[in-house]
Amino acid sequence: MSAFLELFLRFLPDLLSGAGMTLLLTAEGLTAGFVLGLLAALGRTYGGKLWRSVSIAYIELFRGTPLLMQVFMLYYGLPGLGITLSREWVAFLALGLNSGAYQAEYLRGSILAIGEGQMLAGRAIGLSRWATIFHIILPQAIRLAIPAWANEPVSLLKSTAVVFLIAVPELMAKAKAIAAKTYDPIGSYLAAALIYLVMVYLLDALMKWSESKAVIPGFESEAKRA
Amino acid sequence: MASSLILQAKNLTKIYGENVIFRDISLDVRKGETIVIIGPSGTGKSTLLRCLNLLTRVNSGQIFLEGREITAPGTNEDQVREQIGMVFQNFLLFNHLTALENVMLGLTKVKKLPKEQARQKAMQELSRVGLADRAGHYPAQLSGGQQQRVAIARALAMDPKVMLFDEPTSALDPELIGEVLGVMAQLARDNMTMLVVTHEMGFAREVADRIVFMEKGSIVEQGAPDDLFERPQHARTREFLWKITELYGKKEKP
């Protein structure tokens, strides 16, 4: 136990810098994924033929293949197309694209659940179709999506671990390096696991808090049931 | 009755696939007039209302708003709907906004009024339907009758040239119907031009200037309430009135 503690404290700055990279990748991936997911969800629900097909193809492709494969395809494939990106950029791109495909489905479901009625009501007072989508439908759809969507930050945070395979210095990569240095793989990975746990716990608490903030008064009982 | 035409429908036909919803409907709505459309369900009354404000497209025929054809190609539909208020059976308030914000939204986003001006106007409209004290409530915190009155205020705020009511009390508990009909009767007295689809015969009789009886996608007959109720010209009208008075009782007041 004391050996583990010693290792943990000795490599804590290293581990924390890895955790910082993990959090950065999570935040970036979530943000990019939200934008992509919103575009794809809108494409699937309200888009024209082209936008709709591109959205469906994107969602199916990135939900239907392993994240690790997507990382490798971008890492080894893009230079062949004459695009050279840093490892961090490749990781950011892969995580964003992957997360976007999942976020699209969360958002699409709740957009559909808001229903045609709200669209009718918006159009009836003279709002355009897109004005109705932005002022009426999305504010409700995003609120409705939060409880299901709240899994995504946690899931993405853990998924970032795969990018250690293209040598992005995040938490998992740091743990592997420490294991190699100390010949104590169990201790090293256990230390990283503890940090993952703390991050997931904090993220979960953040999600619960934002869920409670987004509740529409009078709808509390439904929010509790959801 | 010499007052000017607000809304004019000429030979409207609506077909969904094989299904003829209504055929060859013509209707004139004059300024300040309250017209009540009655008839069995499934006869195209609601679809007719939705066609009049272009929420649904007619297959043929023309609609004129103050003499300008709004079914003409190139018409800005959003501008047309801004001028035609609509109240739905199931209220359809914006659930994420307070009563006040529901009424304000069209003013700020469609009419582009400054926020403070929009707020004042919205408060006026809420007072008009007797709900100034509920301005900060969300739809889920209001009764059905209150929600429908907010929906009426939301439509009124746009200063529409005509208001369409699509069975505004059908989704309400009986004890809440009166407050909504009361607001509508007051609007009629204030000379709002109104086209109302309803099964409330008491309201129709007391408030309407003209009653239109529709069945199976066409207008069977129309006329002043007393004429239509006391001396219906067509057997189908008689039959319908007899059935509905039997169902709802004769001495119904709005």
Side-chain angles (χ1 to χ4, degrees):
Chain A
M1 188 64 205
S2 69
F4 171 72
L5 211 61
E6 197 194 333
L7 178 145
F8 187 84
L9 291 174
R10 183 171 148 217
F11 290 101
L12 190 59
D14 230 13
L15 289 166
L16 285 182
S17 98
M21 175 59 85
T22 293
L23 283 176
L24 181 68
L25 284 173
T26 307
E28 287 174 343
L30 263 184
T31 312
F34 182 76
V35 174
L36 284 169
L38 193 57
L39 284 172
L42 288 174
R44 262 190 105 157
T45 44
Y46 297 111
K49 213 169 180 180
L50 179 69
W51 186 6
R52 191 195 195 90
S53 334
V54 170
S55 302
I56 293 175
Y58 159 64
I59 293 169
E60 296 302 321
L61 188 67
F62 280 88
R63 285 174 76 229
T65 55
L67 171 62
L68 183 56
M69 182 174 287
Q70 293 160 17
V71 173
F72 281 167
M73 290 293 252
L74 290 174
Y75 188 63
Y76 296 112
L78 284 181
L81 300 172
I83 307 167
T84 327
L85 297 175
S86 70
R87 303 163 194 283
E88 284 83 0
W89 265 97
V90 169
F92 160 62
L93 214 60
L95 290 165
L97 281 164
N98 184 270
S99 176
Y102 286 94
Q103 294 192 49
E105 289 299 90
Y106 291 130
L107 288 168
R108 184 174 74 100
S110 56
I111 286 173
L112 292 176
I114 294 306
E116 270 306 286
Q118 295 284 310
M119 176 61 91
L120 273 182
R123 301 306 305 272
I125 57 168
L127 285 172
S128 70
R129 191 173 141 85
W130 285 102
T132 309
I133 291 170
F134 282 106
H135 296 304
I136 311 294
I137 300 199
L138 282 183
Q140 296 182 59
I142 290 173
R143 276 187 180 85
L144 190 65
I146 290 176
W149 181 88
N151 294 315
E152 184 60 19
V154 169
S155 153
L156 186 64
L157 183 128
K158 291 180 289 178
S159 297
T160 57
V162 308
V163 304
F164 95 92
L165 285 163
I166 56 168
V168 175
E170 44 69 69
L171 185 52
M172 185 69 190
K174 295 284 186 189
K176 193 167 168 19
I178 294 166
K181 214 179 281 176
T182 58
Y183 302 107
D184 180 4
I186 300 291
S188 310
Y189 291 123
L190 192 62
L194 278 175
I195 294 176
Y196 274 115
L197 268 175
V198 170
M199 290 194 291
V200 166
Y201 177 80
L202 292 176
L203 208 51
D204 252 341
L206 184 67
M207 287 303 120
K208 291 229 167 59
W209 177 79
S210 50
E211 212 174 299
S212 70
K213 280 285 152 192
V215 161
I216 301 170
F219 271 73
E220 288 98 342
S221 49
E222 269 122 304
K224 259 179 217 140
R225 252 180 278 138
Chain B
M1 273 299 165
S3 48
S4 57
L5 278 176
I6 294 276
L7 197 64
Q8 192 177 24
K10 278 189 182 167
N11 311 106
L12 301 185
T13 296
K14 176 68 190 175
I15 300 166
Y16 279 121
E18 300 269 284
N19 240 340
V20 181
I21 308 299
F22 52 76
R23 189 188 287 286
D24 217 22
I25 296 249
S26 295
L27 188 69
D28 291 349
V29 184
R30 290 182 188 78
K31 195 170 167 56
E33 206 178 10
T34 298
I35 298 179
V36 170
I37 304 177
I38 59 172
S41 39
T43 43
K45 303 177 306 266
S46 296
T47 311
L48 176 63
L49 286 194
R50 284 184 188 196
C51 286
L52 290 177
N53 74 347
L54 309 181
L55 280 177
T56 305
R57 278 268 161 200
V58 286
N59 294 79
S60 63
Q62 294 168 295
I63 303 167
F64 298 85
L65 181 65
E66 291 191 315
R68 204 169 61 91
E69 188 188 344
I70 58 175
T71 36
T75 304
N76 184 332
E77 296 182 9
D78 297 333
Q79 276 172 15
V80 169
R81 289 195 204 99
E82 186 186 335
Q83 302 171 64
I84 303 180
M86 184 156 207
V87 174
F88 299 90
Q89 181 176 348
N90 42 355
F91 332 133
L92 298 184
L93 289 182
F94 306 133
N95 292 316
H96 62 308
L97 300 177
T98 61
L100 182 70
E101 290 165 340
N102 263 277
V103 183
M104 278 175 68
L105 189 95
L107 296 171
T108 55
K109 303 296 181 206
V110 179
K111 289 205 187 288
K112 312 279 182 206
L113 289 187
K115 239 189 171 140
E116 203 35 54
Q117 213 176 324
R119 182 185 305 275
Q120 278 174 21
K121 168 96 173 133
M123 276 312 290
Q124 269 172 29
E125 299 300 345
L126 281 178
S127 309
R128 198 163 159 187
V129 299
L131 287 173
D133 58 331
R134 293 285 185 276
H137 285 56
Y138 285 84
Q141 299 170 317
L142 297 171
S143 74
Q146 291 171 335
Q147 287 190 52
Q148 192 61 299
R149 282 148 69 199
V150 173
I152 293 172
R154 176 175 71 183
L156 286 175
M158 304 303 283
D159 289 325
K161 300 196 161 101
V162 52
M163 288 275 284
L164 310 177
F165 292 87
D166 184 8
E167 303 204 26
T169 58
S170 298
L172 292 176
D173 290 334
E175 76 270 22
L176 301 178
I177 290 176
E179 60 189 75
V180 172
L181 293 181
V183 166
M184 290 168 62
Q186 184 57 48
L187 281 180
R189 282 193 291 277
D190 294 345
N191 281 323
M192 171 57 76
T193 311
M194 294 161 59
L195 201 51
V196 184
V197 170
T198 186
H199 294 293
E200 296 296 329
M201 293 302 140
F203 174 83
R205 208 157 172 176
E206 302 266 322
V207 179
D209 297 304
R210 178 154 47 114
I211 297 197
V212 173
F213 174 61
M214 258 181 92
E215 193 187 49
K216 294 195 181 118
S218 47
I219 294 179
V220 176
E221 78 176 280
Q222 50 180 309
D226 285 344
D227 290 337
L228 200 109
F229 278 102
E230 303 297 339
R231 296 170 288 280
Q233 301 299 304
H234 290 262
R236 273 146 64 191
T237 317
R238 270 197 294 277
E239 220 170 281
F240 175 76
L241 288 173
W242 186 80
K243 263 190 215 152
I244 204 136
T245 41
E246 169 128 306
L247 191 64
Y248 288 97
K250 223 168 188 157
K251 289 266 187 246
E252 201 179 9
K253 290 259 176 184

